[in-house]
Amino acid sequence: MSHFYQEFLRPITYLVVIYFIALGLFYLVLYVSAALDMQEYLRRVRAEKYSEILSSEIAPSISMLVPAHNEEASIKESVRALLTLTYPKLEIVVIDDGSTDATLSVLTSTFALVPIHPLYDRRIPTKEVRAIYRSKQYPNLIVVAKENGGKADSLNIGLNVASSELVCAIDADTILDPDGLRRLVRPFIRSRDVVAAGATIRVANGCTVTQGRMASERGPHKALAGIQAVEYLRAFLFGRPGWNRLGGNLLISGAFGMFRRESLLETNGYVRSVGEDMELIVRLRRHGYETGQPARVEFVPDPVAWTETPAGFRELGRQRERWQRGFTDVLWRHRSLLLNPRFGVLGWVVFPAFVLFEWMAPIIEVVGILLVVAGLILGQVSALFAILFFSLACGQGILLSMLALMLEELSFRRYGRARDRALLVVWAVLENLGYRQLTVVWRLRGTLSYIRGKKSWGKMNRKGFNTVDDHDTSIAEFPAAPAAVDGPPVGIAAFN
Amino acid sequence: MSTMDLVIVLLVTIGSAIVAVLITVLVSSLVQAHRVRMEPTLGEARQVIVAALSGELIQTDDAFVALSRLSERYIVSVMLELAPSVAGSSRSVLATLGMRIGAIDRARTGVRSRRWSTRLYSARVLTAFGVESNAAMYAHLTDRAPEVRAQAAAWCVAVQTPEGPGHLIRLLADPDGQCRFAAQDALIRIGLPATESLIRALNDAESDAIGPILEIASATGDPRYCSKAYAVLADPFNVNRALAAAVLASCADRNAGPTLVTLLDDSSNEVVLAATAGLAKLAFWSGAAAVEPLLSHPSWQIRKQAATTLLALGAPGTILLQANVPGVGPAAEMAVHSLQLHSLSTQEEAA
């Protein structure tokens, strides 16, 4: 057995160690890139009030696309919040994707909807539209009722019906910063080459919402939500800005992203897939290379969308499995990009990095753990070495999270209370003691279920916001208790 | 070095890095806590400045005495926040206060800084206070940092001078989109005083450079642009012809309506769309009969615009739309859709 270890397992161990070091170096480069990008961005927006965009005659128009499926609990608050956004030329298109609950009737009664002749430009084929409504109270609010066809189909209907130059796709349960649109529109004003821009998603569990707006930005006090908050910070303050300088992002969260409408229509909009957000970005960038048209994707760190995250392990596990399935699907669909010189930095840097350091990470981590266990059993690895190696892996994870927290501390500091920020440090440590290993299992299961052919989303249930008072002056609070939340993916949030 | 040694070295390195990061976070947190403790001061600064602007503190001296106890950083922050919302005498009060606390002098020096972020911040302060002509600010229109160039364009609106539009027109050809946007926006905000310079630029510019100027002309609607707009209607670029149509509609020239009707037969959909929209803007009712066939146009956008225009043309347009309702095909669909929307808006207005 000892010979077997020496001959076969030891070389694999070296490969794992090399991978581990390469991963560390990659994160270091990504972090430096993110820090530089963030520093430049903060200097640029210092003292910026964005008032010129608000009152400009030449500001681009925006259509918000809000797909909703069985969202009766939260749709009223969500649409109200959208109607309070400060942007001069704003249209809101809510797409009821064949809800079987009272979503449509809640919308109809709350916003005085009346049916209009369902006429729109059918540029992308979609499921049948049952009716189109317009609000008598808010002329910029349109509601489309359609046959159930999934999120991608709903967004495609939204693209057909929308009339603005830019479209902003958000999830129905997302709460946006009031000036989020003005901040996110800047890359499009700055360059005609930009086809998509993404913003930061933060965890709303524990925050208080008043009249559809974030009243108090507080860090989650429960471990599971807190650890996810750290994961989101790592992804959105570290990963995404880092890619801005290293060849552009490959992912924009479906919870809050803005696109040039014509670019989406040219590439036939969203494709029905588990990871449609990422698939769209990869396709847009790929289309740019194939046609020679510009297709820049930018990430803007300060417009924030707040979203509720799963509060129970079961829901979280399902979500992470689904993300990994979607991620695998996108990589497989676009496998021809890998190391393909035709696609420049996308084919040579971005896509390979996602395969090597994102998709393969859980596989390598499991192999590493199995090797150490095998070494222990075969007497080839001492217990001390095993403990030190485990500590090293945890230390690397903790360091990455701490670096993200440092960026947050030195930049936006959205979680205002010192206690909340101290708790984030605790969650960053705890994440590595059990949670991280669990996510590895979930991600592996996601990959395996994709290989076995599972492509569906699974059932989605939402509890919605706990509304204390049902009037406009209500205070809604995100549920602290475990909620049956299994919403659309916000992208690959973790960078493990 | 054995594997064990390597692991220990890596562990110590990572551990030290974690400690360093934690210390940074802690120090930053303490600084932040101090700032939070200063928050009432920020509120106080806001109160004093608002009181000065509303005339409660009659003499700026009183305000200055009250402000002198506070940090300049907070005062400037509050002033920048309030500046876009004030004009006239209130703006003068703000500028006087800015001068007394030394923020304006520091900004005047700051615009010459080697650091682009300092130049940008200083330019923002001078813009907010509407500080008088400053040669350094015109130089900023050609600054190497696009953010500074864009801010200098905004300053040209705050401090209007005869040479400002000329500088801004040159900025319309900037390689950075943010600067082009800022220049266009500034020229629109300056409005009529910029027209002569823009007309001169239109006459001198090549076909591929007149688009941004025509967009400004269309937004301001000054009749002095009309003669050039008629000339541009013969331009080979579709986008320019479409923009010229939009300018004619904005200027509401006597011959604009009949001219736009002739453009409905243009080979470019872009031009037809602009001409159709222009007829709506002019409310040129005698053009309704020419617009009606566009309800069957292959382009969805033109069909939709044709219906919108017919509604905007009043009774003649509405009658033509109603005449299409009983039919089948895209024209009938669009007529039903538009009339329904129109009736909805009418109900809203009545309510």
Side-chain angles (χ1 to χ4, degrees), chain A residues 372-373 375-376 381-392, chain B residues 4 7:
Chain A
V372 172
V373 172
L376 272 173
V381 169
S382 70
L384 178 65
F385 180 83
I387 291 167
L388 287 179
F389 196 78
F390 179 74
S391 307
L392 188 63
Chain B
M4 181 71 105
V7 169

Side-chain angles (χ1 to χ4, degrees), chain A residues 73 77 209 308 463-469 474-481:
Chain A
E77 287 294 333
V209 180
E308 199 182 0
K463 185 170 180 178
F465 312 147
N466 285 343
T467 309
V468 175
D469 182 352
S474 67
I475 293 179
E477 194 164 327
F478 284 89

Side-chain angles (χ1 to χ4, degrees), chain A residues 10 14 17 20-21 40 43-49 51-60 114-122 134-137 139 160 186 189-192 261 382 384-385 388-389 391-396 398-399 402-403 405-406 409-410 413 416 418 421 425, chain B residues 3-4 6-8 10-11 13-14 17-18 20-22 24-26 28-30 32-33 35-36 77 80-81 84 115-118 120-121 124 146-147 151 175-178 180-181 184-185 188-189 215 219-220 300-301 303 330 332-338 340-341 344-345 347-348:
Chain A
R10 192 172 286 276
Y14 285 129
V17 171
F20 186 76
I21 293 168
E40 191 182 317
R43 276 187 193 163
R44 209 185 298 149
V45 300
R46 189 176 166 208
E48 181 84 79
K49 299 292 178 205
S51 51
E52 78 278 10
I53 294 175
L54 188 65
S55 56
S56 175
E57 289 211 22
I58 47 172
V114 286
I116 58 171
H117 189 66
L119 193 60
Y120 58 94
D121 193 7
R122 293 179 171 82
R134 222 192 84 184
S135 168
K136 286 170 84 172
Q137 292 170 344
N160 285 339
R186 287 183 61 107
I189 289 175
R190 195 164 179 164
S191 171
R192 291 290 309 171
R261 178 169 169 259
S382 70
L384 178 65
F385 180 83
L388 287 179
F389 196 78
S391 307
L392 188 63
C394 289
Q396 191 211 34
I398 293 170
L399 179 61
M402 292 295 175
L403 286 171
L405 294 184
M406 186 170 78
E409 185 62 42
L410 299 175
R413 252 187 246 107
R421 298 203 298 273
V425 174
Chain B
T3 319
M4 181 71 105
L6 179 69
V7 169
I8 290 170
L10 285 174
L11 206 53
T13 311
I14 286 177
I18 290 174
V21 169
L22 270 176
T24 312
V25 170
L26 187 68
S28 170
S29 253
L30 290 173
Q32 171 67 5
R35 280 185 193 162
V36 170
S77 158
L80 288 177
E81 186 184 306
R115 292 180 62 186
W116 71 267
S117 57
T118 309
L120 176 61
Y121 182 75
R124 279 181 183 151
E147 290 80 10
Q151 188 58 48
D176 187 272
Q178 187 188 351
R180 292 197 300 273
F181 176 86
Q184 256 188 317
D185 189 57
I188 291 171
R189 285 176 202 272
E215 278 174 0
T220 47
W300 194 89
Q301 273 185 308
R303 289 206 301 276
E333 286 246 298
M334 192 55 83
V336 170
H337 178 67
S338 313
Q340 203 174 18
L341 280 178
L344 193 64
S345 330
Q347 282 172 27
E348 277 166 27

Side-chain angles (χ1 to χ4, degrees), chain A residues 186-203:
Chain A
R186 287 183 61 107
F188 295 92
I189 289 175
R190 195 164 179 164
S191 171
R192 291 290 309 171
D193 295 356
V194 174
V195 292
T200 298
I201 312 295
R202 283 176 187 252
V203 172

Side-chain angles (χ1 to χ4, degrees), chain B residues 229-290:
Chain B
Y230 282 116
V232 176
L233 289 178
D235 196 279
F237 289 99
N238 296 338
V239 63
N240 287 347
R241 292 206 304 284
L243 284 169
V247 174
L248 286 179
S250 295
C251 300
D253 180 69
R254 177 197 293 241
N255 296 319
T259 308
L260 291 180
V261 169
T262 62
L263 288 177
L264 297 179
D265 295 325
D266 197 281
S267 57
S268 156
N269 280 358
E270 201 176 350
V271 179
V272 176
L273 191 66
T276 315
L279 287 171
K281 200 167 185 177
L282 286 171
F284 188 67
W285 63 267
S286 56

